[in-house]
Amino acid sequence: MITPEELFLQRRKFMKLGIGASVAPFLIDSLMAQTSFGAPLDYLPQSSSLKPTKEEHATSYNNFYEFGFGKNDPKANSKHFAPSSWKIQITGEVQNPMQIELEDLLKKVKLVERIYRLRCVEAWSMVIPWIGFELRELLSLVKPTAKAKYVKFTTLFDPSLFPAQKALFSSIDFPYVEGLRLDEANHPLSILAVGMYGKTLLPQNGAPIRLVVPWKYGFKYIKSIAKIELVSERPISTWEKQNPREYGFYANVNPDVPHPRWSQASERVIGERGRQRTLYLNGYDKEVGYLYDGLNPKKLY
Ligand code: MTE
């Protein structure tokens, strides 16, 4: 269990480490604003039993194809990623569309820390202490219309920042796209993360803002988001488009539905010896299981 004192120290560290990093000042402002209003960072009760993965693993073993396809590429190739500001557009079926600097957005939401399991479709896992805010807070700011059924997310397309976006032929289409059903997006476990391990997100982890949906495979956790659209039709996400037989829209963690080329029954725990059993919905069945009543996981994987 993290004590308030550790939390306080962590928060100080978060603020301190933010200074000097290119996309960080807004985080510091936001945290300071929250401190003065006294809003507490909150915790999921069950997260206290999870042991976070070593930070060095979580920041050096990554998937972020905009920086290359190898696990070490994102860290190695993102050293010059330094956008001077970051705008997010929230548009589509909403009453209040907005184009907002992340710095300003963070003044309107409450930052929380959430320690979540992360399960990649490649059958490895980590535990990450995220800092972010609930996606439903953002949705309530823009007010989805009655036509909004899904949320579509798009990574920034800017080859000057993401070297692999320059390639004429790539095995995946850029920009990276992901989506959620509106009720999934409104679930309190769905967050937009701006930090981890008490610090501002590093480029390789999806700076300055990325999605985190802990009951789904990691490829849903779209990084470096520039656009969020509320739409009436189900969006086709990047991996589904690339290979629909192997990757579905739902991507709910399920030990009983194997990937066509490997089992999903167990997972390699990064930084630990051996494997562990994979849990249905990555251990979040109690919280989100009701969202999938009546859905056939073998068809809608
Ligand atoms: N987002 C974008 N824009 N591009 C990517 O290649 N990879 C996804 C996801 N988000 C990816 C992305 C995959 S496959 C995984 S497993 C997670 O990010 C990995 O997040 P991590 O490197 O922070 O662990």
Side-chain angles (χ1 to χ4, degrees):
M1 190 66 194
I2 296 179
T3 64
E5 192 188 338
E6 281 167 333
L7 180 55
F8 173 75
L9 291 172
Q10 247 186 30
R11 202 192 293 198
R12 298 247 341 230
K13 197 161 116 205
F14 187 41
M15 292 196 285
K16 244 165 75 188
L17 279 162
I19 293 167
S22 56
V23 287
F26 53 80
L27 289 178
I28 301 159
D29 286 354
S30 164
L31 279 172
M32 301 246 253
Q34 293 198 26
T35 307
S36 57
F37 292 120
L41 299 182
D42 73 352
Y43 290 89
L44 201 63
Q46 61 162 350
S47 62
S48 54
S49 61
L50 297 174
K51 179 174 157 233
T53 301
K54 280 209 184 93
E55 187 182 346
E56 74 188 75
H57 295 310
T59 56
S60 62
Y61 183 89
N62 299 104
N63 281 333
F64 198 169
Y65 302 108
E66 286 83 339
F67 291 115
F69 286 80
K71 290 284 181 280
N72 309 319
D73 290 345
K75 183 176 177 186
N77 298 337
S78 64
K79 300 231 173 347
H80 304 294
F81 179 88
S84 52
S85 71
W86 195 272
K87 276 199 186 64
I88 303 189
Q89 193 189 359
I90 309 143
T91 172
E93 290 295 344
V94 293
Q95 289 172 38
N96 296 331
M98 53 173 87
Q99 162 116 346
I100 189 167
E101 287 287 341
L102 182 53
E103 181 177 355
D104 297 326
L105 175 59
L106 290 185
K107 290 181 189 142
K108 299 177 188 283
V109 295
K110 184 179 131 214
L111 287 189
V112 294
E113 177 163 86
R114 295 279 171 80
I115 302 172
Y116 285 157
R117 295 184 197 87
L118 160 71
R119 171 63 157 79
C120 178
V121 75
E122 298 162 337
W124 52 261
S125 71
M126 299 191 196
V127 169
I128 312 280
W130 301 104
I131 290 176
F133 59 92
E134 291 180 1
L135 175 55
R136 63 180 176 167
E137 274 202 83
L138 177 74
L139 296 176
S140 72
L141 290 174
V142 294
K143 297 195 170 51
T145 68
K147 286 194 191 143
K149 299 282 183 275
Y150 296 90
V151 188
K152 177 182 175 189
F153 304 84
T154 309
T155 294
L156 182 70
F157 185 79
D158 182 347
S160 73
L161 292 172
F162 299 113
Q165 290 180 340
K166 283 192 203 107
L168 287 181
F169 300 101
S170 162
S171 52
I172 64 171
D173 270 355
F174 295 119
Y176 198 94
V177 168
E178 259 306 338
L180 294 174
R181 245 172 33 193
L182 186 58
D183 58 345
E184 297 176 319
N186 267 319
H187 193 281
L189 286 190
S190 300
I191 61 168
L192 288 171
V194 293
M196 55 193 243
Y197 296 88
K199 301 168 198 162
T200 301
L201 270 191
L202 291 173
Q204 61 267 38
N205 292 106
I209 182 164
R210 59 130 14 126
L211 181 65
V212 173
V213 272
W215 68 98
K216 292 181 179 283
Y217 290 121
F219 67 85
K220 297 293 289 182
Y221 297 36
I222 182 171
K223 296 175 167 180
S224 305
I225 298 168
K227 192 163 157 197
I228 300 178
E229 286 166 274
L230 280 285
V231 292
S232 54
E233 303 277 316
R234 185 170 83 67
I236 300 185
S237 37
T238 292
W239 283 102
E240 186 189 5
K241 186 170 169 203
Q242 151 83 12
N243 192 340
R245 213 178 65 84
E246 299 195 355
Y247 307 102
F249 172 77
Y250 280 93
N252 289 330
V253 175
N254 193 334
D256 300 325
V257 179
H259 183 277
R261 290 183 282 134
W262 58 84
S263 162
Q264 295 290 24
S266 70
E267 60 205 39
R268 184 164 58 92
V269 186
I270 302 295
E272 310 276 327
R273 282 203 206 137
R275 303 179 73 83
Q276 69 186 19
R277 207 163 52 85
T278 290
L279 301 171
Y280 177 59
L281 295 175
N282 207 21
Y284 301 99
D285 184 14
K286 199 160 66 71
E287 287 83 6
V288 299
Y290 72 92
L291 292 171
Y292 308 107
D293 285 347
L295 187 137
N296 178 349
K298 297 221 154 71
K299 281 218 176 95
L300 293 172
Y301 47 87

